[in-house]
């Protein structure tokens, strides 16, 4: 006999009433992932842009410093040549009147005037070459003949030279008593045969001459650079672009003047401007 077995299909009553639930989604994990991606999409570009901007800023500062230092070296060489020439001119004038007292200089005023005019007349930076007595009276000048009654007895550059103050070998900017224009003076003391103070030889220089030179240095007008010639105490002698008024006092403390006070004569300081105004 043959055995035959078969299985009847399951009836619908055997099927589960509810289908199996799909796998549970980890919404909290996904939310954190999305937040992280969002932060990365915003923060990373910002960090990149900030890094590139900082790098570009430093590169521009480095380039600006290099250009400034090169320009300053040219301006420094120019100023040194002018002041060296002034020292030579002062020495020539001292030799010219060597052995003469005030009365002797006055007696020879016409001849000395012509020689002073010849010595200083060919230089655009020189406004006047003058000789003063030991009491500050004007004896002879390349600018005027005969000289008027002018005294500089109370002027800081005269008293500074008389008292052997090195700083006052170059005066602050002033309205020149002899030159009749805005100048600053470089001077040297005269001495008699006994070595006593006998007066001053003064060369008045035009700040405008230096301003014109500085205007051309960076490449002309419109270049964002300020150039200035200052004394050792920070007082401005010439500057381009020019300010509306020339200072009569040394500027208030700035990183620049503090560096000068520390004896630094070269280097780089960062500040808003040479005079702190801009």
């Amino acid at each position: 006999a043959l055995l035959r077995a078969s299985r009847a299909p399951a009836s619908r009553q055997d099927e589960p009433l509810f289908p199996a639930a799909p796998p549970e989604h980890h919404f909290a994990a996904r939310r954190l992932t999305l937040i992280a991606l969002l932060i990365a999409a915003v923060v990373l570009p910002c960090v990149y842009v900030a890094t590139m901007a900082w790098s570009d800023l430093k590169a521009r500062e480095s380039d600006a410093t290099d250009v400034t230092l090169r320009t300053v070296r040219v301006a420094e060489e120019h100023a040194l040549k002018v002041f060296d020439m002034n020292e030579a001119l002062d020495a020539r004038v001292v030799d010219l009147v060597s052995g003469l007292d005030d009365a002797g200089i006055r007696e020879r005023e016409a001849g000395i005037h012509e020689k002073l005019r010849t010595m200083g007349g060919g230089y655009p930076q020189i406004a006047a070459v003058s000789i003063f007595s030991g009491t500050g009276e004007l004896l002879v000048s390349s600018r005027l003949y005969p000289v008027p009654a002018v005294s500089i007895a109370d002027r800081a550059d005269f008293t500074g030279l008389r008292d052997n103050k090195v700083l006052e070998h170059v005066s602050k900017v002033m309205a020149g008593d002899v030159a009749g224009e805005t100048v600053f003076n470089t001077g040297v003391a005269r001495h008699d045969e006994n070595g006593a103070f006998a007066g001053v030889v003064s060369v008045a220089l035009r700040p405008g001459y230096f301003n014109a030179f500085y205007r051309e240095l960076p490449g002309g007008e419109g270049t964002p650079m300020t150039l200035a010639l200052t004394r050792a105490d920070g007082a401005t002698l010439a500057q381009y672009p020019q300010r509306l008024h020339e200072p009569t006092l040394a500027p208030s403390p700035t990183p620049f003047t503090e560096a000068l006070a520390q004896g630094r004569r070269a280097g780089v300081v960062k500040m808003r401007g040479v005079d702190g105004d801009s």
Side-chain angles (χ1 to χ4, degrees):
L2 297 175
L3 295 177
R4 185 177 181 182
S6 64
R7 183 178 180 183
S11 65
R12 292 183 176 273
Q13 293 179 351
D14 296 332
E15 296 179 359
L17 296 178
F18 300 100
E24 181 182 354
H25 295 286
H26 300 286
F27 290 108
R30 288 197 175 190
R31 183 175 64 181
L32 292 176
T33 302
L34 291 175
I35 292 174
L37 291 175
L38 179 62
I39 292 175
V42 174
V43 173
L44 290 181
C46 290
V47 171
Y48 174 78
V49 170
T51 302
M52 294 302 296
W54 179 259
S55 176
D56 182 66
L57 173 63
K58 290 303 178 182
R60 288 175 181 269
E61 287 182 350
S62 178
D63 291 342
T65 300
D66 290 341
V67 171
T68 300
L69 290 176
R70 288 197 299 269
T71 305
V72 167
R73 279 194 288 270
V74 175
E76 180 183 22
E77 289 298 324
H78 173 262
L80 287 174
K81 289 180 180 179
V82 171
F83 284 97
D84 285 345
M85 188 210 71
N86 279 12
E87 289 184 5
L89 181 57
D90 287 336
R92 290 177 61 191
V93 176
V94 170
D95 290 340
L96 177 65
V97 296
S98 177
L100 296 176
D101 58 11
D102 294 350
I105 293 174
R106 286 193 174 96
E107 289 176 1
R108 297 166 175 79
E109 180 182 353
I112 296 174
H113 161 76
E114 287 300 323
K115 290 181 179 180
L116 294 183
R117 192 167 63 86
T118 301
M119 289 178 184
Y123 300 100
Q125 71 271 23
I126 295 179
V129 181
S130 305
I131 303 174
F132 296 90
S133 71
T135 54
E137 284 78 24
L138 178 63
L139 299 176
V140 61
S141 170
S142 66
R143 186 74 175 258
L144 303 169
Y145 176 79
V147 293
V150 173
S151 175
I152 61 168
D154 296 329
R155 219 167 67 182
D157 56 329
F158 176 79
T159 58
L161 289 169
R162 182 191 63 196
D163 300 336
N164 198 29
K165 295 179 179 179
V166 175
L167 178 64
E168 295 302 338
H169 280 67
V170 179
S171 77
K172 297 177 182 177
V173 173
M174 65 180 68
D177 297 311
V178 180
E181 57 184 290
T182 300
V183 297
F184 63 91
N185 302 294
T186 63
V188 62
R190 295 170 44 236
H191 298 89
D192 61 20
E193 296 177 353
N194 299 319
F197 178 76
V200 165
V201 172
S202 177
V203 178
L205 297 178
R206 296 182 173 100
Y209 167 78
F210 293 91
N211 295 342
F213 181 77
Y214 298 157
R215 182 179 65 245
E216 300 299 328
L217 260 187
E221 297 182 6
T223 304
M225 181 180 290
T226 298
L227 288 169
L229 177 67
T230 72
R231 294 203 319 174
D233 62 351
T236 302
L237 303 176
Q239 177 175 307
Y240 181 82
Q242 292 177 261
R243 288 174 289 171
L244 296 178
H245 59 87
E246 295 292 347
T248 56
L249 300 174
S252 58
T254 65
F256 176 68
T257 57
E258 290 174 1
L260 291 178
Q262 295 168 4
R264 294 174 57 186
R265 294 297 178 262
V268 177
V269 293
K270 292 185 178 182
M271 54 183 290
R272 295 189 62 195
V274 171
D275 51 20
D277 293 339
S278 60

